[in-house]
């Protein structure tokens, strides 16, 4: 059971990284201007990481409690999925959405979504 919990936590981290990569990819294709693309490709994942770090990260000082945390996590991941679709990668968006939802359900089932992060 411990290995299953660890694998799900690793998968959640990978989903978060894919979300950052998705918004960066979208940002790199948002304009015909290279300068704008570079700025947005940097700013978009920084914005997503800031939201995650302030309210969703296990060690965030202002970490939201469920269900608000779950709703914000879903919103952030939905933004990443929408970014992939907008960037012309709908299949990758669907894959990210399915993996994120299945992982979230697994984390909930294993009670890892409500665990005290400071234990």
């Amino acid at each position: 059971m411990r290995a299953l919990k660890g694998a799900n936590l690793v998968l959640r981290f990978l989903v978060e990284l894919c979300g950052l990569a998705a918004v960066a990819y979208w940002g790199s294709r948002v304009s015909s201007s290279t300068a704008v693309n570079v700025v947005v490709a940097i700013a978009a994942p920084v914005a997503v990481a800031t939201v995650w770090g302030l309210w969703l990260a296990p060690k965030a000082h202002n970490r939201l409690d469920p269900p608000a945390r779950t709703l914000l996590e879903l919103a952030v991941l939905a933004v990443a999925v929408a970014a992939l679709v907008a960037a012309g990668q709908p299949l990758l968006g669907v894959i990210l959405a399915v993996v994120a939802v299945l992982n979230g359900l697994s984390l909930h089932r294993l009670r890892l979504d409500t665990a005290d992060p400071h234990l």
Side-chain angles (χ1 to χ4, degrees):
M1 183 62 89
R2 190 173 196 175
L4 182 61
K5 288 181 178 184
N8 272 282
L9 290 172
V10 168
L11 182 58
R12 172 54 84 183
F13 180 66
L14 293 175
V15 166
E16 294 166 14
L17 290 179
C18 287
L20 292 174
V23 295
Y25 179 76
W26 166 80
S28 73
R29 287 165 168 51
V30 76
S31 170
S32 60
S33 167
T34 301
V36 170
N37 288 345
V38 168
V39 169
V40 177
I42 293 169
V46 167
V48 169
T50 299
V51 168
W52 203 278
L54 288 174
W55 296 296
L56 302 174
K59 294 187 179 184
H61 293 301
N62 299 316
R63 188 174 200 226
L64 297 175
D65 292 323
R69 184 173 69 238
T70 302
L71 291 174
L72 186 55
E73 285 177 4
L74 287 172
V76 169
L77 292 170
V79 165
V81 168
L84 285 171
V85 172
Q89 298 296 329
L91 179 59
L92 291 179
V94 169
I95 291 169
L96 178 60
V98 169
V99 171
V101 168
L102 292 176
N103 178 245
L105 290 171
S106 181
L107 291 172
H108 179 73
R109 179 81 170 133
L110 294 169
R111 298 187 171 274
L112 294 172
D113 59 342
T114 58
D116 184 352
H118 302 293
L119 291 179

